[in-house]
Every structure is written in structure tokens, then in C-alpha cells.
Amino acid sequence: MPPAVHHTQQQVPQQWVYVKSEPPQWLTDIRAAPPAAIRPATLWSVLATAVLSALLLGEGLGLNLLFVAVPAALAAYFAARAAGRRPRPWTLAWALGGLALLVVPALRDAGWPTFLAVVSALALGSLVLHGGRTWPGVLMGSVGLLGSVGSGMAWAWRGLRERAHGSRDRWGPVVRTTAVAVLLLVVFGALFAGADAAFADLLGGFVPEVSVADGPWRFFLFLLGLIGALAAARTAAAPVRWDRLKVRRGRARGRTEWALPLIVLDLLFAAFNAVQLAVLFGGYDKVLRETGLTYSEYARQGFWQLLWATLLTLLVIALALRRSPRDGARDRVLVRAVLGSLCALTLIVVASALRRMDLYVEAYGLTRLRISVTAMELWLGLVIVLIMAAGVWGARWLPRAVGASAAAAVLAFGLVSPDGLVAEQNVERFRSSGKIDLNYLQELSADAVPALYELPEPYRFCALRGTAERLEEDKEPWYAASLGEARARELLRERPLTASVGCAELGLDEERYLF
């Protein structure tokens, strides 16, 4: 018999199969609805934003930011209106705050308050489009505009394709009419400018100077304005619903487990504040004799530690609220008493930190860093007051109130002219003690010129010569110059600087400030 043949079944390898996974539930909850097709009014507003960005933003920042922001805001408004959205009171408040912040570059020459104001204005603009109410809504909504950069371009491209396919006959007359209008303006504007010097000066003040060498830079600004306006309009048409992002509260702790560490912390704060009050009423001299420190060393030794203590206290309060007991009225009273005491004691720490900074400034003068951290400490104190008020009247309004207070603090910081304050304090310090740091004063912006003009010569010349040379070299157009620069130029023109001795004899580093 022939041998039996055993047939084995060949194993066929499985092919890779792509299995689509479902997104997390929280991502589904916050996802934006599909936006409606982009409208012509939105497209024209976006184009106007891009053109104004290319023409006006190349020389600097000033009123031009407001000119660019207006059509961008109109693009977002038209998109929101097409989507059926209507402004609410907080939306209008964020919008007005953002426009107010954009005034700071038109008033101040200093770059640092301008930077803070522009960033804060963008954050408020993003909040306008998202309409956040909760902590996730306010925190994520302030930066949510960045998420619409790519989707905004795709949204505009789809809308253009649909409209170009359905209305080709209407685009031709629009393009031809625009081209003819621009040609007529250029030709007759050039003829009238050549015929009359006064009209040429007027026209030159309003028309930006554009050269071929500036082409890449102007094109970049055009793209920046285009993408930014499209992102704003796309967000207004269909914003991400960050308010739907739920943050689960932590597991509640027992009263003793929760309260005991915080009560110990309260006692530590109370002991520290008692020492501070004793030093305040007993005078610093005794403390300084016992410690061997000077006023400035005593102030510098504690300010930064107290600043960090304030920040960490806010973190402790946030974590304590997540784990607080929640069984009834007695627990609510306990939470309010313990955390309210901690907030009140922290306000005394804030006052102590500010007093130490005051001592430090008396010894070494005011600087940009010192005025900045002082402003931050003041704002942290305001946040603690808001938290205490939320413990009494409820916390639904707290996220938006904290955001509004931050924007108001940045606006106030820009309006008070920090460089001007630094210059005024250093001039007063020079009058009282004869001490002055000309090397540092040379670094201040044109906002400091009116205060520095109060110095006697030759200190005035040595403190202002760098700013004077910079203002002489930089000729920004009216829409890119600040009020601080205009006042400085007027002072320098009315009261020219004179030098009687070399600035090196007064301690100025000549090589460092060689212009």
C-alpha cells in the first residue's frame, strides 16, 4: 500500500488591519461644530488686514496696531454673525480691554510694557472669540486662537473654491475695478505730488515707503496678517468649547486630615507676621545691629523668598480646595475660616515684601526688574483679595475676574510709564544722595527723557546722549512712533544737550555706549 499522505494546512499571515479608535469623550465634548462657509465680508476684511499689516507694521509699533486690529475684528464679527453668535457683556468687556491694551504701544517707547500689552491683547482677543467662563475656559481660551491657524487657512480655501466655481462672472468686474482705481490713484497722486511740495509732504506722511529691498519682509507681514485674521474669523465661526472641559474635584479628605496641616501653616504665617510687626514698630536699627546686616542686605535677603511664598500660597489654596471636606454647612465654615485666615496672613506677607523692596530701592535705586516684580507682587495681593471675596459671595465669577485683573494690571503698568518712573526715582535719589548710575540710565527708552532732563549738566548730557542719537537716526512714520518718542524729540529740539566734561569722568563706560 502506498504511504498515507498527510496534508497540512498552510498558515496565512494576517494582514495589518487599521482599526479606527474613538477619540476620548472630553475631546468630543469640546469639539467645535463645523463652521458655515466663509462670507465675502469676512474675506474682504481678512484681505484688508493682510494689506495693512504689510504696509504699516514694517517700521515699528504704534497706532498701526489699532489700524490692523480693526479689520481683523470686523472679520471675526462677520464670521460670528454668520454663525448666529451674538456678543455678551463679558465678550464686550474682553474686546474693549484688548483695544485699550493696543493703545500702550502708541503711548510708550519702552519695548517691555509694549510686549506685555500686545501679548495680553492677543489673549483677550482669543477670549472674546471663545467666551470662556470656567477655569479651563479662561486658561485655554486665552491661547486657543493658535489652534485655528491651520484650520483657518483650509476653511478660507474651501470657501474661495466654492465661490469661484459658482460666481466666476462676478469676480472679473471686481478685479478690473480695483485695478483701475489703484492705477488712477498712483498716476494722479504722483502728478499732484510733483506739482506741489506741500501736497507731496502730506502724501508722504500718509503713504508708507515701500522698496524692493523690503519685499520679503513685507510679504512675511502680509502672510502674518492674513493667517492671523483667518484664524480669528475661523475661531469666531466655530470656537472650541473649552468650558465643557470638566475638571474633576479631588477626593474629599476628613476634617482633621485636611485642616491640621493648614492650621499649622497658618500658625507659621502668624509667627512670621508677628516678627515683622515687631520689627516695624520697634525699628529696623535694633534688628540690623543684632543681625549685622545693612538696610539693603536685609531687604534683598527677604524679598524674593516672600515673593515665592506668595506664589506657593496660591498653589496651596488651589490644592486645598480640591481636597476640602464637603459634607455640609460645618465643613463650609471650616474651609472658609482656615483658608480665609491663610489669605489674610498672606496679605501681610505681601505688605512685608513690598516694604523690603522699598528699602532696597532707597539704597540702590529703582530698576526695570525691581518695578516689574513689585507690580507682580501687587497683582498677587489683588488675586488673594479676589479669592477671599469668592469665599464670601461664591466663585463662579472668579476665573474671569482673575483674567480681567491680569489684563488691567498690564494696562496700568504700560500707562504709568515704568521707564519714566525709574528715571524719576533715580533723579530724586541723585538729588538726595548724589548717587547715580549713568550706565543704567543710558539703557532707558525715550519715555525717561522728561524726567532725566531734570538732571543738571553734564549728567543730563551723559544720561541722554544715547537716546538722543537713537532718536536722531530713527525716523519712524507717524503711525509707527509713540507719544513718548514725540515728547522726547520735542524736548531735545527745544533744549539741546551740551557737554562740558567727558562722560568717562562721571563713571560712564564710553566703549559700552559708543554710538
Side-chain angles (χ1 to χ4, degrees):
M1 294 181 61
V5 179
H6 299 281
H7 297 280
T8 60
Q9 186 176 3
Q10 187 177 3
Q11 297 292 332
V12 179
Q14 289 185 343
Q15 300 295 323
W16 288 97
V17 179
Y18 174 74
V19 179
K20 184 178 181 180
S21 60
E22 294 295 328
Q25 184 60 39
W26 67 268
L27 189 59
T28 304
D29 294 338
I30 68 172
R31 181 178 296 168
I38 191 169
R39 300 292 181 87
T42 302
L43 286 172
W44 285 114
S45 299
V46 168
L47 182 61
T49 304
V51 171
L52 289 176
S53 298
L55 293 178
L56 302 181
L57 296 183
E59 288 82 11
L61 300 181
L63 284 174
N64 47 10
L65 277 178
L66 284 172
F67 297 154
V68 172
V70 168
L74 287 176
Y77 170 75
F78 292 137
R81 187 174 180 180
R85 301 181 65 193
R86 295 294 181 267
R88 297 180 178 180
W90 270 101
T91 303
L92 297 176
W94 297 131
L96 292 176
L99 291 176
L101 284 166
L102 291 181
V103 176
V104 173
L107 299 177
R108 302 293 168 241
D109 178 53
W112 50 308
T114 294
F115 173 78
L116 290 175
V118 172
V119 172
S120 300
L122 290 174
L124 289 188
S126 187
L127 279 176
V128 169
L129 304 176
H130 287 89
R133 298 185 304 273
T134 62
W135 282 113
V138 172
L139 295 176
M140 300 303 298
S142 61
V143 296
L145 189 61
L146 299 176
S148 299
V149 171
S151 59
M153 297 290 291
W155 176 58
W157 177 249
R158 289 194 301 269
L160 284 173
R161 288 181 59 184
E162 293 174 1
R163 295 190 176 278
H165 180 73
S167 56
R168 294 180 179 178
D169 295 337
R170 289 185 295 176
W171 283 100
V174 172
V175 173
R176 288 193 297 270
T177 301
T178 304
V180 170
V182 171
L183 179 63
L184 292 176
L185 285 175
V186 171
V187 172
F188 284 94
L191 290 175
F192 290 147
D196 189 277
F199 182 78
D201 291 338
L202 177 65
L203 192 64
F206 283 94
V207 178
E209 295 183 5
V210 180
S211 62
V212 177
D214 293 337
W217 173 237
R218 300 285 181 176
F219 181 69
F220 170 77
L221 293 174
F222 179 88
L223 289 180
L224 186 64
L226 182 72
I227 294 172
L230 283 176
R234 171 64 173 78
T235 304
V240 177
R241 303 297 183 178
W242 292 110
D243 280 334
R244 297 177 183 174
L245 186 62
K246 302 298 182 182
V247 180
R248 292 183 298 177
R249 296 189 66 175
R251 184 172 63 88
R253 301 294 183 180
R255 294 175 186 172
T256 303
E257 180 185 2
W258 179 86
L260 184 58
L262 294 174
I263 292 175
V264 171
L265 184 61
D266 284 347
L267 293 175
L268 177 62
F269 270 62
F272 176 81
N273 290 332
V275 172
Q276 298 304 298
L277 293 175
V279 171
L280 178 62
F281 290 106
Y284 289 95
D285 295 335
K286 180 180 178 181
V287 176
L288 298 181
R289 285 195 305 268
E290 294 177 353
T291 59
L293 300 174
T294 63
Y295 281 100
S296 59
E297 290 172 343
Y298 177 78
R300 181 173 54 186
Q301 183 188 57
F303 175 81
W304 293 103
Q305 289 87 339
L306 296 181
L307 177 62
W308 277 108
T310 307
L311 289 169
L312 291 176
T313 301
L314 293 175
L315 179 60
V316 168
I317 292 172
L319 295 176
L321 287 173
R322 283 182 54 83
R323 301 289 184 175
S324 61
R326 300 181 286 271
D327 287 340
R330 293 180 61 185
D331 285 341
R332 288 195 295 271
V333 172
L334 175 65
V335 171
R336 291 177 179 176
V338 174
L339 294 184
S341 300
L342 181 59
C343 289
L345 293 170
T346 305
L347 289 179
I348 301 177
V349 172
V350 170
S352 177
L354 295 175
R355 176 55 182 158
R356 287 171 183 262
M357 177 55 71
D358 184 52
L359 290 174
Y360 195 43
V361 168
E362 287 180 4
Y364 291 105
L366 191 62
T367 64
R368 289 172 168 176
L369 177 61
R370 292 163 195 165
I371 195 175
S372 299
V373 295
T374 300
M376 182 179 178
E377 185 73 21
L378 287 170
W379 176 69
L380 291 176
L382 176 59
V383 171
I384 293 171
V385 172
L386 292 175
I387 293 174
M388 296 174 68
V392 177
W393 292 294
R396 290 190 59 186
W397 51 269
L398 184 60
R400 288 181 290 191
V402 171
S405 68
V410 173
L411 177 61
F413 188 70
L415 293 180
V416 300
S417 182
D419 273 17
L421 290 179
V422 170
E424 289 177 7
Q425 196 279 336
N426 279 273
V427 170
E428 291 297 325
R429 178 169 173 264
F430 173 74
R431 289 172 177 169
S432 60
S433 65
K435 298 178 181 179
I436 191 169
D437 187 354
L438 292 174
N439 289 310
Y440 185 79
L441 296 180
Q442 278 265 343
E443 299 176 0
L444 299 180
S445 64
D447 300 331
V449 169
L452 295 180
Y453 250 96
E454 301 300 319
L455 290 171
E457 292 289 5
Y459 293 95
R460 179 194 306 165
F461 171 80
C462 296
L464 289 174
R465 67 170 192 172
T467 302
E469 293 180 11
R470 180 178 64 82
L471 293 176
E472 182 66 26
E473 295 174 359
D474 298 339
K475 298 294 184 181
E476 295 93 349
W478 63 273
Y479 51 79
S482 65
L483 181 62
E485 289 177 298
R487 289 177 175 174
R489 286 194 172 96
E490 183 179 0
L491 271 175
L492 291 168
R493 183 172 55 253
E494 294 177 353
R495 301 166 60 184
L497 300 175
T498 58
S500 58
V501 298
C503 294
E505 301 178 13
L506 302 178
L508 188 68
D509 188 347
E510 296 281 0
E511 295 182 358
R512 183 181 178 188
Y513 298 103
L514 184 60
F515 290 88

